[in-house]
Amino acid sequence: MSKFINPSEVVAQTGLMQGQVVADLGCGNGFYVLPAAQMVGSTGTVIAVDVMEAKLAATISITNQFGYKNVRVIQADLAKPMLDIPANFVDMVIIGNILHEISHTDSLIKNVYRILKSPGRIMAVEWKKTATPFGPPLDKRLDQQKLEVLLMQVGFRKIKDLYTDGYHYAVLFEK
């Protein structure tokens, strides 16, 4: 039995620096928002995006609890064009465990490409396509190779695999 994914350890492998702008698309309850907010510091910004108001409320609550003032939230459908974030604005995009929930992954990836600076990075974390005691059904999971092909088709270049845990895989790509 391996330990569950540690968001700080994964984000720490991305080369994220003080003062940078991060967009966490499908931020959920702020799992990756907190470590990103810590890494970019008070001069950086984390834009937490989710379609569900309750998730954004949870993200606001936890960032306030930890005293982070560098997080702003946007409610948006990730499959539609995200015009709340300017083009070429973000240093790094995080998509953590959301691709298996989204029917239009190509639209999401186009959004990512549009908002990323060049060179900008994308950290994608997803459930491994193997049987695990929990997590989404196998047929919903996105195989790592498929994800990498999706990213390369839009013009992203793979930098490296990131260490996660026994249940997930994570990759770092660059625009």
Side-chain angles (χ1 to χ4, degrees):
M1 171 77 185
S2 68
K3 68 182 181 72
F4 198 67
I5 192 166
N6 178 329
S8 299
E9 285 175 11
V10 181
V11 175
Q13 300 170 67
T14 63
L16 195 56
M17 292 182 293
Q18 294 267 321
Q20 290 191 312
V21 178
V22 178
D24 184 345
L25 305 184
C27 65
N29 297 330
F31 195 63
Y32 293 102
V33 171
L34 287 181
Q38 189 181 358
M39 284 184 75
V40 298
S42 58
T43 56
T45 306
V46 177
I47 305 166
V49 183
D50 207 288
V51 71
M52 294 170 74
E53 218 168 295
K55 300 281 190 195
L56 293 172
T59 296
I60 291 167
S61 167
I62 196 149
T63 55
N64 287 341
Q65 203 177 315
F66 282 89
Y68 291 116
K69 307 260 182 271
N70 58 349
V71 177
R72 54 180 259 243
V73 297
I74 294 175
Q75 187 174 7
D77 180 343
L78 299 174
K80 297 191 173 114
M82 268 188 313
L83 304 173
D84 294 331
I85 303 174
N88 308 309
F89 184 71
V90 175
D91 295 292
M92 189 171 89
V93 170
I94 297 172
I95 44 176
N97 286 333
I98 60 160
L99 290 169
H100 64 272
E101 294 176 7
I102 290 180
S103 48
H104 301 290
T105 47
D106 51 340
S107 305
L108 168 66
I109 290 169
K110 282 183 187 131
N111 273 327
V112 170
Y113 196 85
R114 189 187 71 76
I115 65 173
L116 262 184
K117 288 178 181 171
S118 196
R121 293 181 164 195
I122 174 173
M123 177 187 104
V125 183
E126 207 37 75
W127 289 90
K128 286 183 178 172
K129 203 167 169 80
T130 52
T132 53
F134 44 81
L138 263 184
D139 63 341
K140 290 252 188 252
R141 299 184 189 196
L142 184 61
D143 177 66
Q144 181 172 346
Q145 234 176 335
K146 277 201 181 113
L147 170 63
E148 292 187 3
V149 167
L150 275 172
L151 292 171
M152 286 187 272
Q153 282 172 336
V154 186
F156 288 108
R157 182 179 59 82
K158 184 172 181 180
I159 298 175
K160 63 180 178 179
D161 289 310
L162 304 174
Y163 173 76
T164 55
D165 63 6
Y167 310 108
H168 301 86
Y169 64 85
V171 291
L172 188 65
F173 274 72
E174 192 170 68
K175 181 174 173 181

